[in-house]
Amino acid sequence: MPLDPFHLAESLQAKAAPELIDADRDHLRRITDTLEAQRADVMSRLTAVQRQEAQLGDGAVDRDLEIRRLSGRLRVLQRYRMDVCLGRMSPEDGEPVYIGRVGLAAADGSRLLIDWRTPAAEPFFAATMENPRGLLSRRRYRWTDGRISDYWDEALADAALDGAASLDDQSAFIAGLGAHRTARMRDVLATIQADQDAIIRTPSPGALVVDGGPGTGKTVVALHRAAHLLYAEPRLTQSAGGMLLVGPHAHYLAYVEDVLPSLGEDTVRLSTLRDLVPEGASAARDEDPPAAALKASLDPVTMLEKATKWFERPPQRAMRLESPWADLWMSREEWTELFSGADPALSHNEARDGVWEEVLELLTDQVHDGDVPPHLIRRWLRQDEELTGTFVRAWPMLSPTAVVARLWSVPEFLRHCAPELSPREIALLQREVPDAWTIADLPFLDAARRRIGDPDAVREEHRRQFVISSAQEQISHVVDHLIEDDDSEMKVMSILRGQDARNVLLGVDAPPALAPDELAGPFAHIVVDEAQELSDAEWRMLLARCPSRSLTIVGDRAQARHGFTESWEERLTRVGLRDVRIAHLSVNYRTPAEVMAEAEPEIRAAIPDANVPTSVRESGTPVHHGVVDSLPGLLRTWLDGHPDGVACVIGAPEFPPTARVRSLTPEDSKGLEFDLVVLVRPEQFGHDITGAVDRYVSMTRSTRQLVVLR
């Protein structure tokens, strides 16, 4: 007997009436059968394509594309069972329409599920009593272990109240908000509200700021908007640059990493600001706040442009070379012209090769002896110590890290790159160990890598080109020898002079090109969470990766640890964003009213106009105050009484974490949520704005209970 999709508790038996759920039960079983059939079909087709004989040219490309397409479809089908269905909506005219994480059609062509991202599915999320969008009612499912453990109906028109609904309305939804948490963000797609859905479906052009207090679903909106945009706007897919999600810390990325794949999107790259730069993994937190604040206000791109130009200095005198064929000349003006003609789209180290080749060409053209092959002249020039030495001094290969370290160790160099700095500020930025990298250095290291380039990558490409050139030369000799010795009537060896044949031969020995930096961009769209913490310099790191200026920016000005007194428009305009739209969220779905009553005074004391959201539910559990010594026993009692859920101790770094109890700082708890939050010695965070924000953030991580220990 097939598994019953419904598994309702004894207390919900009124909802188990056949007239309420039999139609859903039959439809969900059809979905299960169709998924199984499609999985088998796609698996069979994928196996057949993979067994096809390898081809060349367009045939190979078509085969690879088909394998990729079928593999992607198979991943989607394998991820879901009947819980692919979110619920149904009943229109005023016609049969119920079922909404799914993906679209699904039966073998006879009938539509079983409408993809939640399609315009046809929008009323399921957007309809309200004031604007029912043509619906009589809406039903949402609550899935537990692959079966429906609860559901709730919302009557959107008077006609739907007459026995058509379970008349539960919002109670199941409110109860669901308090469900226990796990180490991963729980699935909330079925509970997306109308205000959130309107933001999710906003088109991508420009910068959209999702502003809201704790618990308003900002992260949920950002992640679902990312999935919606990738579906609705194909130009944002990988071929156009793809999408990058930037989170505040590694704990956050681990928490949300499964959300987008569960929505059918597995191409979005996840990163923290640290991940964007190789030195980020070992960079220390800044222990010199004044120096860090000064760096945050600077423009690394402009500074590194000046720093790079410092090293691109054409020789200031003419040069004469006595070659075996003629005296060769390079005037001061020619040096200057060649240097100024470097490709501006290339980094310093990459453009260096182009300038060097221009130098060689200009000198080679001065030899008018037609009997001398140009490659012999160029070989001689490359071996001339005076020429190569002059060029290396005028345009050296640079290390990005060495250039940034020079900023913090050579006052004259820093003054050249940032002439607006005062002598006191220049002295403030100098340090004994210039390459002891901190978080505040990351925007400068990133700008340096972009403007200067990776010298190791350039050298590796030189080696690769040398191997290819040597292979070409060797193959040319072999081909010439084979053709010369070919005594066949048809002279079949002559086909080796064809370019296709040479390409095949070269492809065997040519080393692969270096893998590109996957986080370097450009990206078609960037999602930034906890964006209120970004400095101007850090914003420029992200904008360098997003030339389209298409961003989803998520944050709360009241949760900025160092203050955020200006508006979003003012902050973003200053760093180069123009088309800025603001969407506000004001309903707190996460934090119980009891906890918000304790947290609100903390932030109001520091930020009177803070955007404190209104909680929609009460937990029935008051905030508990105790002493620090009670922490071990308190946690044991909670764990014994709660077989599920996750707790977090904030403010006690010495406390060892366990499988179900995290130990974090206020900063590392941002973006996360826990059933129980134990805040240890909140006064230790200080009484300035940073301390107030740390206490506010820590308290509002709770979804059920808050304990404060002093």
Side-chain angles (χ1 to χ4, degrees):
M1 182 176 180
L3 182 69
D4 189 345
F6 287 88
H7 185 63
L8 303 176
E10 287 294 329
S11 60
L12 299 175
Q13 285 309 298
K15 292 186 175 183
E19 64 270 18
L20 291 176
I21 64 174
D22 274 0
D24 286 0
R25 180 182 283 119
D26 292 342
H27 195 85
L28 290 168
R29 284 172 173 166
R30 286 191 67 199
I31 289 173
T32 300
D33 294 343
T34 300
L35 285 172
E36 291 178 356
Q38 290 193 7
R39 277 192 290 269
D41 177 63
V42 173
M43 177 67 80
S44 174
R45 289 158 58 194
L46 177 60
T47 301
V49 174
Q50 290 173 331
R51 289 176 175 173
Q52 288 179 1
E53 184 177 349
Q55 304 176 53
L56 296 175
D58 292 343
V61 173
D62 292 341
R63 175 178 178 272
D64 289 345
L65 289 175
E66 182 66 4
I67 289 175
R68 184 179 303 176
R69 186 187 69 81
L70 291 172
S71 298
R73 180 62 178 171
L74 184 60
R75 283 195 300 271
V76 171
L77 293 171
Q78 289 176 332
R79 175 177 285 272
Y80 303 121
R81 296 295 184 266
M82 68 177 73
D83 57 359
V84 69
C85 184
L86 304 173
R88 75 177 194 208
M89 53 185 180
S90 299
E92 294 176 352
D93 300 310
E95 296 297 316
V97 177
Y98 289 81
I99 309 301
R101 302 176 185 280
V102 295
L104 187 69
D108 61 5
S110 60
R111 179 61 61 181
L112 297 177
L113 289 174
I114 299 293
D115 192 301
W116 71 274
R117 294 171 289 190
T118 63
E122 185 175 358
F124 179 79
F125 303 97
T128 63
M129 286 289 290
E130 293 76 17
N131 182 14
R133 307 288 290 270
L135 300 185
L136 287 176
S137 65
R138 168 176 53 208
R139 172 172 291 184
R140 304 181 196 245
Y141 302 134
R142 181 177 176 185
W143 294 91
T144 303
D145 297 329
R147 301 174 75 185
I148 297 173
S149 59
D150 199 356
Y151 68 90
W152 70 100
D153 290 324
E154 299 163 82
L156 300 169
D158 292 342
L161 294 173
D162 187 16
S166 66
L167 302 182
D168 188 63
D169 280 347
Q170 292 292 317
S171 63
F173 168 60
I174 297 299
L177 296 176
H180 70 80
R181 265 46 180 180
T182 67
R184 299 288 181 90
M185 176 177 276
R186 65 192 184 94
D187 179 16
V188 296
L189 177 56
T191 62
I192 293 292
Q193 298 299 289
D195 58 339
Q196 298 171 329
D197 184 68
I199 298 172
I200 289 169
R201 295 178 187 272
T202 303
S204 69
L208 175 66
V209 177
V210 183
D211 177 80
T216 55
K218 301 185 299 297
T219 299
V220 167
V221 168
L223 294 170
H224 287 74
R225 183 172 191 244
H228 182 270
L229 289 176
L230 289 170
Y231 176 88
E233 302 186 27
R235 69 178 186 83
L236 299 178
T237 57
Q238 201 66 34
S239 60
M243 189 177 292
L244 172 69
L245 169 66
V246 179
H249 46 71
H251 303 292
Y252 168 93
L253 297 186
Y255 183 58
V256 305
E257 66 179 349
D258 196 48
V259 175
L260 285 165
S262 75
L263 298 173
E265 298 295 345
D266 57 5
T267 62
V268 178
R269 303 202 177 279
L270 276 61
S271 169
T272 66
L273 283 169
R274 283 178 177 270
D275 298 330
L276 299 180
V277 182
E279 296 76 17
S282 59
R285 293 182 185 267
D286 294 284
E287 297 182 358
D288 186 352
L294 179 55
K295 288 178 183 178
S297 68
L298 297 175
D299 182 355
V301 175
T302 300
M303 289 179 59
L304 267 299
E305 177 65 28
K306 293 180 179 179
T308 305
K309 289 298 183 183
W310 172 282
F311 294 99
E312 296 174 359
R313 297 185 174 183
Q316 296 302 297
R317 62 179 181 84
M319 172 180 287
R320 182 173 70 89
L321 299 175
E322 296 180 359
S323 79
W325 309 280
D327 287 348
L328 310 179
W329 289 87
M330 280 283 290
S331 69
R332 173 182 173 180
E333 291 74 21
E334 286 171 327
W335 279 116
T336 301
E337 182 179 354
L338 291 179
F339 274 46
S340 63
D343 188 346
L346 299 179
S347 68
H348 166 90
N349 289 336
E350 292 171 321
R352 183 175 184 268
D353 287 345
V355 175
W356 174 239
E357 290 300 320
E358 291 288 338
V359 170
L360 297 180
E361 183 175 351
L362 188 149
L363 293 171
T364 300
D365 288 346
Q366 296 179 30
V367 177
H368 301 296
D369 187 343
D371 295 332
V372 182
H375 73 273
L376 291 181
I377 304 172
R378 297 170 77 90
R379 180 183 298 174
W380 183 90
L381 290 170
R382 288 193 179 94
Q383 296 173 350
D384 185 81
E385 294 182 359
E386 182 182 5
L387 177 62
T388 56
T390 299
F391 183 76
V392 166
R393 289 188 295 273
W395 194 303
M397 183 79 77
L398 296 177
S399 162
T401 55
V403 173
V404 176
R406 186 180 176 90
L407 290 172
W408 317 141
S409 58
V410 181
E412 178 187 357
F413 186 59
L414 178 56
R415 186 177 300 110
H416 168 79
C417 298
E420 70 277 11
L421 293 178
S422 68
R424 183 190 65 81
E425 291 172 325
I426 290 176
L428 177 65
L429 296 179
Q430 303 300 296
R431 61 192 185 201
E432 292 185 6
V433 184
D435 59 353
W437 306 122
T438 67
I439 293 175
D441 294 321
L442 300 185
F444 295 87
L445 293 165
D446 185 64
R449 287 180 67 84
R450 288 183 170 277
R451 181 61 185 88
I452 295 171
D454 183 355
D456 293 334
V458 173
R459 294 187 184 101
E460 184 61 33
E461 182 61 20
H462 286 172
R463 286 190 286 270
R464 177 174 178 271
Q465 292 300 328
F466 176 78
V467 171
I468 293 174
S469 177
S470 298
Q472 287 176 332
E473 187 173 352
Q474 183 176 3
I475 287 175
S476 293
H477 288 313
V478 172
V479 168
D480 290 343
H481 178 72
L482 290 173
I483 293 175
E484 183 179 347
D485 291 349
D486 183 11
D487 57 1
S488 65
E489 182 178 349
M490 300 296 295
K491 299 293 183 182
V492 294
M493 288 297 176
S494 62
I495 66 170
L496 294 175
R497 292 202 187 277
Q499 191 60 47
D500 288 344
R502 289 174 178 263
N503 288 341
V504 171
L505 292 171
L506 285 174
V508 175
D509 296 322
L514 291 176
D517 181 356
E518 295 182 344
L519 295 177
F523 293 95
H525 190 86
I526 295 182
V527 179
V528 190
D529 206 347
E530 301 294 344
Q532 74 278 352
E533 299 293 356
L534 269 61
S535 68
D536 289 3
E538 290 169 334
W539 271 115
R540 292 186 173 95
M541 288 179 68
L542 299 182
L543 295 184
R545 291 165 168 77
C546 191
S548 68
R549 299 298 191 260
S550 174
L551 299 103
T552 299
I553 298 167
V554 181
D556 177 16
R557 293 167 58 243
Q559 294 185 62
R561 298 185 73 245
H562 303 295
F564 197 134
T565 57
E566 57 198 334
S567 68
W568 280 108
E569 293 93 333
E570 290 169 335
R571 167 69 62 86
L572 298 174
T573 297
R574 188 173 65 243
V575 298
L577 288 172
R578 295 292 180 264
D579 182 16
V580 178
R581 295 161 291 165
I582 313 294
H584 296 281
L585 295 172
S586 58
V587 178
N588 189 335
Y589 298 101
R590 175 181 67 212
T591 315
E594 296 90 339
V595 174
M596 286 306 299
E598 185 96 1
E600 183 171 355
E602 291 286 346
I603 199 65
R604 292 279 190 213
I607 309 174
D609 64 342
N611 177 21
V612 179
T614 302
S615 295
V616 299
R617 65 186 179 91
E618 297 178 354
S619 66
T621 303
V623 175
H624 175 72
H625 292 265
V627 296
V628 174
D629 292 344
S630 67
L631 176 60
L634 184 153
L635 289 173
R636 280 196 301 270
T637 300
W638 185 85
L639 290 169
D640 290 342
H642 298 81
D644 298 307
V646 179
C648 184
V649 176
I650 301 178
E654 72 283 357
F655 183 84
T658 65
R660 290 179 56 207
V661 181
R662 307 286 294 278
S663 180
L664 299 172
T665 65
E667 193 172 359
D668 286 339
S669 72
K670 281 196 168 183
L672 308 180
E673 53 186 23
F674 308 94
D675 298 275
L676 167 68
V677 169
V678 182
L679 181 56
V680 179
R681 297 190 181 95
E683 66 278 0
Q684 69 177 297
F685 305 136
H687 299 286
D688 57 1
I689 191 169
T690 301
V693 168
D694 283 349
R695 284 188 289 274
Y696 181 59
V697 168
S698 301
M699 292 176 175
T700 56
R701 300 308 94 195
S702 170
T703 66
R704 291 187 177 184
Q705 184 178 0
L706 171 66
V707 175
V708 181
L709 302 181
R710 289 183 166 86

